[in-house]
Amino acid sequence: MLVEPEWPAADVIETGRLSLEPLRADHAVEMAPLLDDEALHRTAMAALLTAHRRDLSLVDCVSFEVMRRLGVESVPIALFIALFTGIVLALLSKYIFTGAVPIYFVGTLVGKSIMLELGPVLTGMALAGRVGANIAAELGTMRVTEQVDALETLAYDKYAYLVVPRVIAGTLMFPIVTALAVAVGVSAGYFTSLNLLDLSSAEFVKGLQIFYKFKDIWYGLVKAASFGAAVTLLGCLQGLATSGGAAGVGRRTTLAVVYGCEAILVLDAFWAV
């Protein structure tokens, strides 16, 4: 007569998080007569994996590898967009201001437009395509290959281990990438004004400073942080909602990019109020 083995009890630790005591190898051995080959294999794997489990801490949530993938690797595309945005904006400013206002207002338009609006929004839109799609595809693949189900079986919180590190990384890295893009965009406008618009350095700097406020810097960076949080969160949610194999991954990846861009526009309008 088979005796049902005693399973480990749930353990509520001091921090308030609920975790399960690791499944020991002797439990797997006791259950072996009750399980078929596939179930026995899964139980053995659970015993091995949960033996190394530890509770999630704040340090675990800040993943430098995720920050590198989402932020550092997005710098080239952001700088490329900012470079040509600054060039085009300077050229259009000269055309608009000719005979109407002093030419040094080219610096004002380039600086204000890039710092307050074009830098954060264009960078956010570009990263929504790259970062949002990357996250949705990665988590979507994990969902359809049952890796997320395996985490839940081992009593891991999928949101704590998969969503939170990515949202934190996006919230921290989007402002950094945006700051670099703003610097490149303003610099591109400056050199374009000097070489193509016959504008002196003093005139451009005068226009850049005349209406400058410290708010222009932190306002754009706060917007970028909100864009990063929205894009990464929507990418994670779409990835975890994936079903239907490869077609489902593609569909959710597309939705992550679309919803991310829409969220950026809505937040941009919110910050403008």
Side-chain angles (χ1 to χ4, degrees), residues 61 73 89 91-92 108 124 127 132 147 151 155 168-169 176 180 182 187 192 202-203 206 217 230 249 257 271:
C61 293
E73 293 182 2
L89 197 57
L91 295 174
L92 290 179
T108 303
L127 268 60
Q147 296 179 53
L151 287 175
I168 291 178
I176 296 175
L180 295 174
V182 167
S187 300
T192 301
E203 288 177 317
K206 177 182 178 181
I217 297 295
V249 173
V257 176
W271 287 112

Side-chain angles (χ1 to χ4, degrees), residues 235-260:
C236 291
L237 295 179
Q238 290 299 319
L240 293 177
T242 301
S243 61
V249 173
R251 183 168 56 253
R252 290 294 177 175
T253 300
T254 302
L255 288 176
V257 176
V258 172
Y259 290 161

Side-chain angles (χ1 to χ4, degrees), residues 28-61:
V29 173
E30 293 174 1
M31 289 196 65
L34 304 177
L35 304 173
D36 56 24
D37 292 339
E38 181 179 359
L40 180 59
H41 173 73
R42 292 179 179 177
T43 303
M45 290 300 296
L48 291 175
L49 292 174
T50 56
H52 300 285
R53 171 158 180 201
R54 61 188 179 88
D55 296 313
L56 188 67
S57 65
L58 181 61
V59 176
D60 297 314
C61 293

Side-chain angles (χ1 to χ4, degrees), residues 171-231:
T171 305
L172 294 178
M173 294 306 296
F174 267 54
I176 296 175
V177 178
T178 298
L180 295 174
V182 167
V184 170
V186 174
S187 300
Y190 169 76
F191 287 110
T192 301
S193 300
L194 264 58
N195 294 289
L196 299 179
L197 305 183
D198 297 325
L199 195 68
S200 68
S201 177
E203 288 177 317
F204 185 90
V205 173
K206 177 182 178 181
L208 192 62
Q209 292 178 337
I210 192 169
F211 293 115
Y212 171 78
K213 296 180 180 179
F214 180 68
K215 173 187 175 183
D216 298 345
I217 297 295
W218 65 258
Y219 177 79
L221 298 182
V222 170
K223 284 172 62 172
S226 67
F227 296 163
V231 167

Side-chain angles (χ1 to χ4, degrees), residues 127-157:
L127 268 60
R130 186 190 180 281
V131 173
N134 176 283
I135 292 175
E138 182 180 15
L139 297 189
T141 302
M142 293 180 66
R143 170 61 79 181
V144 299
T145 56
E146 299 183 351
Q147 296 179 53
V148 176
D149 297 332
L151 287 175
E152 293 175 335
T153 301
L154 301 176
Y156 280 86
D157 186 345

